[in-house]
């Protein structure tokens, strides 16, 4: 029985050591396997083209990143399960970034950065946090942690998810329109699926309060960039902070880079730590071997 690792050499070394310590009887291969029949588990970012035919005994594919939207699911046979990366560091970093971005939107940072570039000293009015309605789309591992991180600031918090949720002190919605109507700052932490692709579009922006702000942390393909630019132009949206774009990297001449009320960061809200990622995969292989629930197993029909 063996694991095949298909990411960078530096990460491979960390994973190799973690497997040698925790599961010495499992062979660890980097790049290719001497006998593909031995491979039970693959750790990778994308699914190799020949995955279905080359590894007849494959059981699990572990994503090396937090999402699984990058996989071409048609390359992964239905009997093979898919596991996303769960790493406490990813959530902690997302908590930091989302807090920073929410405060930046709340305190009009894009406006003041634009004024600074022009040497313009002009103070606007500060709004108390209790009067700012913040809405988090996606109440999973990350969205729910972000809500907890935002609680101490006293924002009026709401969340939106597919299935009903209960979070103390937070209004939870499954009705998107009602949720949008009360979101002065909208944070997107949805996974990319057939349902969420293009969800941040003109129709959605039209349902937000006038002058709302967007923080996009999910995946670039969820945002219709031209609709965002139009909403900024019309004043429907006041500003946006984007950590994810489509494509990535964002081309140097893309208007989003140069818009005075948009802040773009290069998909750095959270980064997977090789050590924590290796611990997660080792735990997944152990659970698989002992027939227990595998942490991070996704529902292939839902797509997340
Ligand atoms: P989870 O799978 O734990 O949670 C997903 C949440 O989104 C759930 O609450 C789910 O609802 C909700 N959801 C999914 N589809 C819909 C839909 N169609 N309508 C309404 N709600 C929906 O994911 P995570 O919290 O771990 O991560 C979310 C995403 O964040 C990742 O998929 C990834 O794209 C992105 N990410 C970005 C990073 C960055 O650096 N910018 C880093 C890491 C992740 P329900 O509760 O009902 O299932």
């Amino acid at each position: 029985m063996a694991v095949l690792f298909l990411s960078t050499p530096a990460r491979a070394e960390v994973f190799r050591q973690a497997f040698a310590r925790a599961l010495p009887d499992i062979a660890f291969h980097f790049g290719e396997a001497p006998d593909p029949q031995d491979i039970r588990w693959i750790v990778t970012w994308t699914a190799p083209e020949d995955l279905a035919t080359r590894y007849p005994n494959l059981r699990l594919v572990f994503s090396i990143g937090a999402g699984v939207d990058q996989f071409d699911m048609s390359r992964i046979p239905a009997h093979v399960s898919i596991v996303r990366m769960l790493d406490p560091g990813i959530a902690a970093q997302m908590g930091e970034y989302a807090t920073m971005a929410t405060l930046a939107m709340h305190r009009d940072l894009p406006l003041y950065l634009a004024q600074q570039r022009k040497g313009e000293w002009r103070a606007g009015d500060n709004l108390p946090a209790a009067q700012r309605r913040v809405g988090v789309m996606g109440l999973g591992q990350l969205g729910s942690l972000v809500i907890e991180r935002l609680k101490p600031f006293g924002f009026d918090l709401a969340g939106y998810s597919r299935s009903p949720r209960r979070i103390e002190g937070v209004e939870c919605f499954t009705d998107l329109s009602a949720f949008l109507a009360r979101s002065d700052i909208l944070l997107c932490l949805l996974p990319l699926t057939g349902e969420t692709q293009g969800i941040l579009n003109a129709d959605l922006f039209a349902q937000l309060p006038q002058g709302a702000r967007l923080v996009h942390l999910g995946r670039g393909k969820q945002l219709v960039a031209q609709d965002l630019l139009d909403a900024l132009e019309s004043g429907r949206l006041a500003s946006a902070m984007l950590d994810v774009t489509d494509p990535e990297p964002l081309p140097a001449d893309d208007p989003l880079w140069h818009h005075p009320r948009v802040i773009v960061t290069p998909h750095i809200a959270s980064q997977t730590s090789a050590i924590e990622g290796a611990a997660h995969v080792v735990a997944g292989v152990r659970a698989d071997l002992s027939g227990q629930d595998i942490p991070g197993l996704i529902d292939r029909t839902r797509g997340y």
Side-chain angles (χ1 to χ4, degrees):
M1 280 195 286
V3 57
L4 176 63
F5 189 85
L6 299 174
S7 181
T8 62
R11 280 174 186 269
E13 208 32 55
V14 176
F15 275 68
R16 184 191 298 285
Q17 286 174 21
F19 270 88
R21 273 194 307 272
L23 292 167
D25 296 336
I26 304 289
F28 182 93
H29 302 297
F30 172 50
E32 63 188 278
D35 183 357
Q37 303 228 15
D38 287 345
I39 299 301
R40 299 285 192 284
W41 308 280
I42 290 182
V43 187
T44 187
W45 177 242
T46 53
E49 241 170 73
D50 59 355
L51 183 138
T53 49
R54 193 166 166 77
Y55 307 102
N57 297 313
L58 184 64
R59 294 174 53 83
L60 295 176
V61 171
F62 289 89
S63 171
I64 195 76
V68 294
D69 53 277
Q70 76 283 1
F71 285 131
D72 177 348
M73 296 290 182
S74 66
R75 287 185 187 169
I76 305 178
H79 69 271
V80 174
S81 300
I82 300 172
V83 183
R84 70 194 175 113
M85 182 56 69
L86 292 182
D87 140 7
I90 293 180
Q93 292 169 66
M94 185 57 80
E96 291 172 2
Y97 187 105
T99 303
M100 168 182 74
T102 304
L103 290 174
M105 297 294 113
H106 170 56
R107 297 302 303 266
D108 297 314
L109 190 64
L111 172 76
Y112 291 123
L113 288 176
Q115 285 186 192
Q116 180 184 346
R117 282 180 214 113
K118 294 187 282 179
E120 196 175 303
W121 184 283
R122 188 151 49 90
D125 293 328
N126 292 338
L127 191 73
Q131 288 174 35
R132 191 78 78 184
R133 298 166 299 174
V134 176
V136 178
M137 294 179 90
L139 295 175
Q141 194 221 171
L142 300 180
S144 50
L145 177 123
V146 163
I147 291 233
E148 293 308 318
R149 292 287 186 274
L150 292 175
K151 276 182 179 175
F153 295 98
F155 292 114
D156 181 355
L157 293 168
Y160 166 72
S161 56
R162 240 155 58 119
S163 46
R165 293 280 172 134
R166 264 167 188 256
I167 304 176
E168 202 189 323
V170 177
E171 199 176 355
C172 292
F173 291 83
T174 51
D175 174 4
L176 181 59
S177 296
F179 164 77
L180 294 173
R182 52 84 65 222
S183 294
D184 299 317
I185 299 177
L186 180 70
L187 280 79
C188 179
L189 265 166
L190 292 171
L192 178 63
T193 65
E195 284 177 25
T196 66
Q197 179 154 351
I199 191 169
L200 302 175
N201 59 26
D203 176 50
L204 179 143
F205 298 144
Q207 297 178 62
L208 290 169
Q210 186 73 15
R213 293 112 207 255
L214 171 71
V215 176
H216 188 26
L217 302 166
R219 285 288 182 261
K221 283 190 189 325
Q222 290 162 339
L223 173 67
V224 181
Q226 188 56 53
D227 288 2
L228 170 62
L229 292 165
D230 293 346
L232 289 164
E233 195 54 40
S234 71
R236 163 61 49 186
L237 286 186
S239 53
M241 186 150 174
L242 313 174
D243 184 53
V244 288
T245 61
D246 180 34
E248 291 180 2
L250 190 64
D253 61 351
D254 193 288
L256 288 171
W257 279 124
H258 309 290
H259 196 287
R261 283 175 284 125
V262 176
I263 297 176
V264 177
T265 54
H267 200 146
I268 45 74
S270 297
Q271 294 166 342
T272 312
S273 123
I275 291 173
E276 291 186 358
H280 168 67
V281 173
V282 164
V285 168
R286 272 210 176 110
D288 188 32
L289 288 170
S290 58
Q292 286 168 347
D293 287 349
I294 295 161
L297 197 68
I298 67 135
D299 176 340
R300 287 190 62 165
T301 51
R302 260 182 356 183
Y304 69 96

